[in-house]
Amino acid sequence: MKQKQKDLLEVTLIYLIIGFAGFYTYLEIDVRDTVFRLLVSDLVMTVICYIFSVFKKNSSTYDAYWSVIPFYMLIFYFYDFSGASWGIPQWICAFVISAWSWRLTLSWARGWPGWNHEDFRYVNFRNQFGKFFQPINFLAIHLYPTLIVFASMWGVLYVYNGATLTIPYLFYLGALTSLIGTGFEYFADNELDKFRKRENPKKEDILKTGIWAKSRNPNYLGEMMFWFGVAMMGVSFSAPWYTTLGSIGMWAMFMFASIPLKDKQMMKNRPEAFIEYKKEVSRVLPF
């Protein structure tokens, strides 16, 4: 067995432990409020994931959590809200979220080198904060993404808890928006995978083929579209307006944190080529 296969098996076992702990917590909480039970379970799983990341000395232990948890929440909904009797909208929503979740998780697994790799942003945090890294590790790398994903999935609860579909066109528009966003990510990640495996690579090379020739961040564009689509599906089932704040927070995180950090890294590694790339290609929108 190759080292990467061993590492993937180990991280899979870690997530099985995390998932079991979350489901056990969900069942044992003696409160009827589903949102509270889900939140507590999510926080328990995040803490366990953090413990493993400290043990492995690698904060990228958390990387798969982002894409796995939304699908895991669907399992909770199926268990709690009579999944066998779901209607077409419920199954469409489940399909859209599952397609995004599994695609992104498989893409992560394909591109993850193993425990010898840690996301450059986390490495920079380690170097920048030194002995104060662990509070940043828990709060910024683990807890904040958990809370923003939870907030973004909040509206989906109304699709499954017996609420009425009051704006059908908004639901189907939201499902389509999420699927198109997932498609953007699919094509972007495939192009990126080919680029990383190119022959005779040079440090100054920049990916600008396919969808990357139209947008410098097509994968982030796809993520934002997915989460806005999820919010639309929730609102179509009369989810309160505040359940959309998670998706707005997602947009803000990508636009004001993830993309600037990526641009800074590109300027550091290949300044001349990146300056030209910025002149030729839009930051996010493909026009």
Side-chain angles (χ1 to χ4, degrees):
M1 183 181 293
K2 296 181 180 179
Q3 187 59 47
K4 179 177 177 177
Q5 293 174 322
K6 293 179 181 179
D7 291 348
L8 281 173
L9 178 60
E10 184 177 358
V11 79
T12 299
L13 291 173
I14 287 173
Y15 272 85
L16 287 173
I17 293 170
I18 291 170
F20 176 80
F23 196 65
Y24 179 79
T25 301
Y26 184 79
L27 293 178
E28 290 300 310
I29 296 176
D30 190 20
V31 176
R32 293 187 63 85
D33 187 273
T34 302
V35 174
F36 179 79
R37 294 165 68 201
L38 278 173
L39 179 59
V40 172
S41 300
D42 208 357
L43 293 175
V44 167
M45 290 188 287
T46 300
V47 169
I48 295 174
C49 188
Y50 168 73
I51 292 171
F52 275 112
S53 78
V54 173
F55 176 74
K56 297 298 296 184
K57 298 180 180 178
N58 191 324
S59 294
S60 281
T61 303
Y62 184 86
D63 287 353
Y65 194 95
W66 175 279
S67 58
V68 168
I69 287 303
F71 175 79
Y72 194 48
M73 286 184 179
L74 290 176
I75 297 176
F76 284 67
Y77 295 151
F78 188 90
Y79 176 84
D80 246 9
F81 300 118
S82 304
S85 61
W86 283 355
I88 291 176
Q90 285 74 31
W91 282 111
I92 288 176
C93 183
F95 171 78
V96 169
I97 293 174
S98 299
W100 171 86
S101 176
W102 281 98
R103 190 219 64 81
L104 188 56
T105 303
L106 291 173
S107 178
W108 165 81
R110 177 178 65 180
W112 185 56
W115 291 119
N116 61 320
H117 166 80
E118 186 175 33
D119 190 291
F120 75 89
R121 293 167 295 184
Y122 310 158
V123 174
N124 290 343
F125 284 153
R126 286 183 186 276
N127 295 333
Q128 180 180 354
F129 295 103
K131 63 181 180 180
F132 299 107
F133 170 70
Q134 286 307 328
I136 299 298
N137 186 19
F138 178 70
L139 295 173
I141 297 176
H142 290 75
L143 183 60
Y144 178 76
T146 287
L147 294 178
I148 199 70
V149 169
F150 183 88
S152 299
M153 285 287 292
W154 195 345
V156 175
L157 173 64
Y158 290 81
V159 178
Y160 295 102
N161 70 354
T164 302
L165 177 57
T166 55
I167 317 176
Y169 78 87
L170 184 63
F171 174 82
Y172 293 107
L173 180 60
L176 181 61
T177 300
S178 290
L179 280 176
I180 292 174
T182 301
F184 276 164
E185 291 185 273
Y186 172 78
F187 289 114
D189 285 348
N190 282 347
E191 287 282 347
L192 182 59
D193 185 62
K194 292 178 183 177
F195 177 75
R196 287 171 172 167
K197 296 175 181 177
R198 69 193 184 281
E199 295 182 2
N200 304 316
K202 298 177 183 178
K203 186 176 181 180
E204 64 271 19
D205 290 345
I206 287 184
L207 172 58
K208 46 184 175 180
T209 59
I211 197 171
W212 293 87
K214 301 296 183 180
S215 169
R216 300 201 308 269
N217 298 280
N219 48 350
Y220 290 150
L221 171 61
E223 276 289 297
M224 289 185 277
M225 290 182 66
F226 171 78
W227 289 112
F228 277 126
V230 167
M232 291 160 67
M233 287 190 283
V235 170
S236 74
F237 272 83
S238 302
W241 66 269
Y242 52 78
T243 61
T244 66
L245 295 177
S247 297
I248 295 171
M250 284 283 189
W251 171 83
M253 181 179 68
F254 286 120
M255 294 299 292
F256 301 113
S258 298
I259 292 176
L261 281 171
K262 178 186 170 185
D263 286 353
K264 183 178 179 181
Q265 187 74 4
M266 293 285 282
M267 280 296 296
K268 176 182 177 182
N269 292 337
R270 44 184 76 83
E272 294 182 7
F274 186 59
I275 289 173
E276 289 301 314
Y277 185 44
K278 287 174 67 176
K279 293 178 182 178
E280 298 170 0
V281 181
S282 169
R283 187 181 190 222
V284 178
L285 297 176
F287 48 79

